């Protein structure tokens, strides 16, 4: 894998390593050898680009793709053709059920209202709707309440007999899988088993039962059932600090976010830096201006000053391996680093906010998205997913590029 030169005058870029996504999916399949794998590519593939991420995940052996919204599901169909099983799970009354069903997308019934709309959609599409029933086993978010499940199951069985729907799957989602030993995990698993019995009692025989997100895929083999649904780990990030760094699981972060210094200059001791003067220089020093801010998805909570250290940035493309922390406020378009007295950096030098690393919290020389999450009081999911459209994505690696439409694109460019 070669990374294209970063010298075209753009301030910043996100490099997405498609081979990392492929290899992560392959590693995840090894973690769940008895189950099929649904790669979750919602929210533009957690910020990595939905279609490229989906193709790379398929190249790694993903059997299914999962998304949140109808628009995402239809875009997958348009980009990848009719053959890949796609599940969409977050639908609102009035969603384009007929269009989804006509496109062969598996739709989720997560509330009683959805059965009526699915049945109507199936009639309009002239096609049997493929349905997964989502059950709320204790997350208290989306999903059919356990108390409503008996009537939803009976109604679904009726619609199956009359040929409008086919119940392909039953699933649920865990609240605390990233907290090993959390008592809710066993409670949710028991509730899921009860839901499966309820479905069976109504005469439904779903082929795929699925419960595991990334954390459960990596650490709870008893909950893999027929299909696992990892998201964040597909992109090479650990689900959270309690599970340790990605390398522990054979994963590597697929996204590198880097920028080029726009200004390097001397600032005297005792000067306030950036909005609000949150940070004050303690000596005559050199500051470097990094031309990305919250308009690019750098969290403002990653600001650094007296109240706490800012987000980490690796400087010194020559491998000198210095990691500095944001000095002062993260602004909309920029933030400052205190490079120290006599710093050798020059305007145009590349700095890395996060990349393919286990993170500085684990002693690695390069920060990762979890390090930024730690600094900003959030999770790595938000760091990568909120990277703004303003940051161009540069794709490296070949995984997924042999699918028909990518080949066509490549040929068109020649
Ligand atoms: C987002 C999502 C996932 C993936 O979760 P990760 O923690 O990213 O692995 C799986 N299932 C559902 C229903 C989701 O909404």
């Amino acid at each position: 894998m070669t990374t294209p030169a970063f010298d075209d005058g753009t301030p910043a870029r996100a490099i997405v390593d498609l081979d990392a996504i492929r290899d992560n999916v392959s590693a995840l399949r090894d973690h769940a050898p008895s189950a099929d794998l649904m790669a979750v590519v919602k929210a533009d593939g957690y910020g990595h680009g939905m279609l490229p991420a989906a193709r790379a995940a398929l190249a790694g052996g993903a059997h299914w793709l999962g998304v949140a919204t109808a628009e995402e599901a239809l875009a997958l169909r348009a980009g990848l053709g009719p053959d890949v099983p796609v599940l969409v799970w977050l639908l609102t009354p009035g969603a384009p059920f007929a269009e989804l069903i006509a496109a062969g997308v598996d739709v989720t019934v997560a509330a009683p209202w959805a059965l009526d709309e699915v049945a109507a959609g199936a009639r309009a599409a002239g096609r049997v709707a493929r349905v997964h029933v989502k059950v709320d086993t204790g997350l208290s978010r989306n999903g059919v309440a356990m108390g409503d499940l008996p009537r939803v199951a009976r109604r679904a069985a009726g619609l199956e007999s009359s040929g409008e729907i086919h119940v392909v799957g039953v699933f649920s989602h865990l609240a605390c899988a990233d907290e090993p030993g959390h008592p809710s995990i066993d409670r949710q698993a028991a509730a899921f088993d009860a839901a499966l019995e309820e479905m069976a009692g109504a005469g439904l025989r779903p082929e795929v039962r699925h419960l595991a997100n990334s954390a459960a895929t990596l650490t709870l083999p008893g909950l893999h059932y027929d299909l696992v649904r990892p998201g964040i780990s597909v992109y090479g990030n650990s689900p959270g600090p309690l599970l340790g760094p990605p390398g522990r699981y054979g994963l590597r972060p697929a996204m590198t976010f880097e920028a080029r210094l726009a200004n390097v200059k001397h600032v005297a001791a005792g000067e306030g830096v950036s909005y609000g003067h949150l940070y004050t220089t303690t000596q005559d020093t050199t500051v470097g201006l990094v031309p990305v801010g919250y308009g690019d998805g750098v969290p403002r909570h990653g600001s650094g000053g007296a109240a706490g250290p800012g987000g980490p940035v690796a400087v010194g493309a020559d491998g000198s391996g210095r990691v500095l922390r944001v000095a002062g406020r993260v602004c909309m378009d920029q933030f400052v680093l205190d490079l120290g007295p006599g710093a050798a950096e020059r305007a145009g030098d590349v700095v890395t906010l996060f990349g393919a690393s286990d993170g500085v919290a684990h002693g690695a020389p390069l920060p990762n998205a979890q390090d930024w999450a730690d600094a900003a009081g959030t999770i790595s999911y938000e760091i990568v997913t909120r990277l703004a459209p303003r940051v161009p994505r540069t794709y490296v690696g070949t995984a997924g590029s042999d699918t028909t439409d990518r080949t066509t694109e490549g040929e068109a460019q020649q």
Side-chain angles (χ1 to χ4, degrees), residues 4-404:
F6 187 17
D7 56 5
D8 59 357
T10 51
R13 66 178 181 179
I15 301 166
V16 176
D17 181 354
L18 298 171
D19 294 351
I21 293 176
R22 175 198 61 203
D23 296 347
N24 291 331
V25 168
S26 165
L28 288 161
R29 285 193 59 191
D30 292 341
H31 284 282
S34 63
D36 280 355
L37 185 143
M38 175 186 291
V40 179
V41 295
K42 62 191 178 185
D44 201 25
Y46 290 48
H48 294 67
M50 183 175 71
L51 283 171
R55 292 188 186 100
L58 293 170
H63 310 82
W64 291 71
L65 298 171
V67 289
T69 73
E71 196 185 4
E72 292 168 342
L74 294 169
L76 281 179
R77 265 291 167 268
L80 300 176
D83 296 334
V84 192
V86 171
L87 173 65
V88 57
W89 53 68
L90 188 49
L91 300 164
T92 311
F97 281 99
E99 204 183 334
L100 290 165
I101 294 160
V105 171
D106 288 27
V107 295
T108 294
V109 165
W113 66 261
L115 271 180
D116 298 313
E117 296 216 14
V118 170
R123 287 190 292 272
R127 191 165 168 174
V128 180
R130 290 170 50 90
V131 168
H132 297 232
V133 175
K134 185 172 194 188
V135 187
D136 180 2
T137 55
L139 178 60
S140 307
R141 200 177 67 175
N142 203 10
V144 176
M146 288 298 274
D148 290 332
L149 190 59
R151 77 182 164 103
V152 167
R154 274 197 306 277
R155 180 88 209 291
L159 289 168
E160 191 164 74
S161 319
S162 58
E164 279 135 309
I165 73 171
H166 173 49
V167 178
V168 177
V170 186
F171 73 113
S172 188
H173 198 45
L174 295 164
C176 308
D178 57 337
E179 296 179 47
H182 195 285
S184 69
I185 297 170
D186 288 344
R187 281 204 302 272
Q188 283 199 260
F192 190 56
D193 289 335
L196 295 173
E197 269 178 43
E198 186 72 50
M199 302 285 285
L204 295 164
R205 298 280 177 274
E207 298 120 53
V208 283
R209 304 159 299 161
H210 44 117
L211 181 61
N213 56 4
S214 289
T217 301
L218 295 171
T219 64
L220 298 166
L223 302 188
H224 289 169
Y225 293 93
D226 307 307
L227 178 67
V228 294
R229 296 191 314 269
I232 194 69
S233 54
V234 165
Y235 308 97
N237 296 294
S238 166
L242 296 177
L243 295 197
R248 178 177 296 176
Y249 305 97
L251 305 170
R252 67 179 193 276
M255 186 190 285
T256 297
F257 182 25
E258 54 185 30
R260 294 173 65 229
L261 294 175
N263 198 350
V264 176
K265 65 183 179 188
H266 178 81
V267 171
E271 294 289 342
V273 172
S274 192
Y275 286 137
H277 282 179
L278 226 57
Y279 179 87
T280 305
T281 56
T282 55
Q283 55 187 338
D284 281 1
T285 191
T286 310
V287 297
L289 183 67
V290 183
V292 287
Y294 60 81
D296 303 282
V298 180
R300 188 169 175 277
H301 281 88
S303 300
V313 179
V315 299
D318 59 349
S320 58
R322 279 196 304 155
V323 173
L324 302 176
R325 299 273 168 176
V326 175
R329 280 265 155 77
V330 172
C331 313
M332 184 184 290
D333 315 301
Q334 52 198 306
F335 65 82
V336 176
L337 294 172
D338 185 346
L339 298 168
E345 281 75 25
R346 296 280 172 269
D349 284 0
V350 176
V351 301
T352 307
L353 284 82
F354 56 81
S357 166
D358 271 356
V360 296
H362 292 276
L366 186 69
N368 67 9
Q370 183 63 51
D371 292 320
W372 270 87
D374 294 344
T378 183
I379 55 177
S380 66
Y381 297 64
E382 192 178 6
I383 298 297
V384 292
T385 303
R386 289 184 68 162
L387 203 79
R390 187 160 83 175
V391 179
R393 272 61 167 176
T394 297
Y395 292 94
V396 300
T398 57
S401 59
D402 53 349
T403 59
T404 326

Side-chain angles (χ1 to χ4, degrees), residues 401-413:
S401 59
D402 53 349
T403 59
T404 326
D405 43 345
R406 289 270 293 196
T407 311
T408 314
E409 271 169 35
E411 281 164 3
Q413 281 162 13

